[in-house]
Amino acid sequence: MNVQHLNRVIITGGAGFIGSHVLDYLVGNALADEIIVIDNLSSGSIDNVAEHINKKYFIFEKADLKLINEQWFAHFKDVDMVIHMAANPEVRVSVTNPYIHFNENLVVTFNVLEACRRGDAKALVFASSSTVYGDARIIPTPENYQPLEPISVYGAVKLAAEYLCITYSKLYGIKSLIVRYANIIGPRSSHGVIVDFINKLRQNPSVLEILGDGTQKKSYLHVYDAVSATVFLALRVIPTITDYDIYNVGNDDWITVKEIADIVVEEMGLSKVNYVFRPATADGRGWPGDVKLMLLDISKLKSRGWKPLMNSYTAVRKTVRQLLKKEI
Ligand code: NAD
């Protein structure tokens, strides 16, 4: 594998929010000859990849990765890199319906790893999450933090999936780069706090229901930064590792849910919005399994020579403006 250029890349979940931006970035920077997106369009949209359809470099395969099928397996033959984004990213769903997360996040990752093994794929990038840390006692939280005690089923299956990637890297030589994302925001996002606030305020501009007590404080990274970090690591770290490596991908700062609400209200040009806080637990979480404080230590990522262009505040404001179509 050449560091600067890839022959064939697969993006699972490439019609989703982050995956489609990875696709745009690889194409925009001419980093791959052929890119195959495999997606069942459960939460993703064909609109997110529309500009690539019918291009020589692009293949779209509509398939459900929960079901092993020779047609999608065949794409993995001798592929340089698999960027595995397919998942159900809704942490809240995992509380009420753990089966969905077990299947969409763990079974799917197992099937993708099996496809890598059988197709002799060289490397895998796995989209993991800050939720593997649970309620971390060290903040900012470094990659080597222990013990890893996720408090949501989503976090638990992400951690289990990380271990599958690690084992496949050691046993079958599929190099694994595990990226633990903070909250990723930006255009095309279909879920999360900003989308939720905008939708609610469009329905009722005078009242905003806020899940939790509003003091939940987390780190947010714009998807442009998330994608640039992911590809940066994929191109630089994978050639240097023999089995696997893990990187936090986030920001140096954090922002409260109440501050996000204030930015959304201001950018929507509203005033006199009545905030109604709905804490789901005695300590003010938005739902059971919601991590209240999340800030990742990104010094390992920065030591490789990458840093975010936008902090959490700038990323939130830009995302709100992009979702409101005030900015592109
Ligand atoms: P998304 O829902 O926009 O994208 C996921 C994509 O996977 C969608 O296009 C969906 O249709 C596809 N998919 C789901 N199940 C599938 C299946 N069984 N077969 C084929 N395709 C399937 O989510 P996202 O926010 O872009 O997240 C991408 C990855 O990053 C996920 O693994 C998510 O867990 C992880 N992650 C996201 C965030 C975030 O803040 N967005 C934070 C941490 C980790």
Side-chain angles (χ1 to χ4, degrees), residues 52 105 177 200:
H52 305 288
N105 296 339
L177 170 71
K200 282 175 175 165

Side-chain angles (χ1 to χ4, degrees), residues 12-19 38-45 48 63-66 84-89 103-105 108 126-130 154 158 179-185 188-191:
T12 72
F17 165 47
I18 303 174
I38 308 178
D39 200 302
N40 67 352
L41 301 180
S42 54
S43 59
S45 161
N48 291 341
D64 186 343
L65 296 160
K66 291 192 292 301
H84 176 36
M85 293 283 167
N88 183 321
N103 289 322
E104 297 294 343
N105 296 339
V108 161
F126 174 59
S128 188
S129 155
S130 63
Y154 173 81
K158 281 289 183 195
V179 287
R180 290 179 178 157
Y181 288 131
N183 287 331
I184 310 302
I185 54 173
R188 300 182 198 155
S189 56
S190 56
H191 55 272

Side-chain angles (χ1 to χ4, degrees), residues 16 30 40 43 53 123 132 151 162 173 209 211 241 260-261 283 313 322:
N40 67 352
S43 59
I53 302 278
V132 299
I151 60 164
E162 284 192 8
E209 181 200 51
L211 301 181
I241 56 179
I260 294 176
D283 60 356
Y313 283 85
Q322 288 177 311

Side-chain angles (χ1 to χ4, degrees), residues 91 127-136 141 148 150 152 154-155 158 162 179-183 218-219 248-249 291 293-296:
V91 184
S128 188
S129 155
S130 63
T131 56
V132 299
Y133 297 116
D135 286 326
T141 312
L148 295 172
S152 61
Y154 173 81
K158 281 289 183 195
E162 284 192 8
V179 287
R180 290 179 178 157
Y181 288 131
N183 287 331
K218 306 185 193 190
S219 179
N248 285 338
V249 173
V291 173
L293 302 173
M294 184 273 286
L295 179 64
L296 301 178

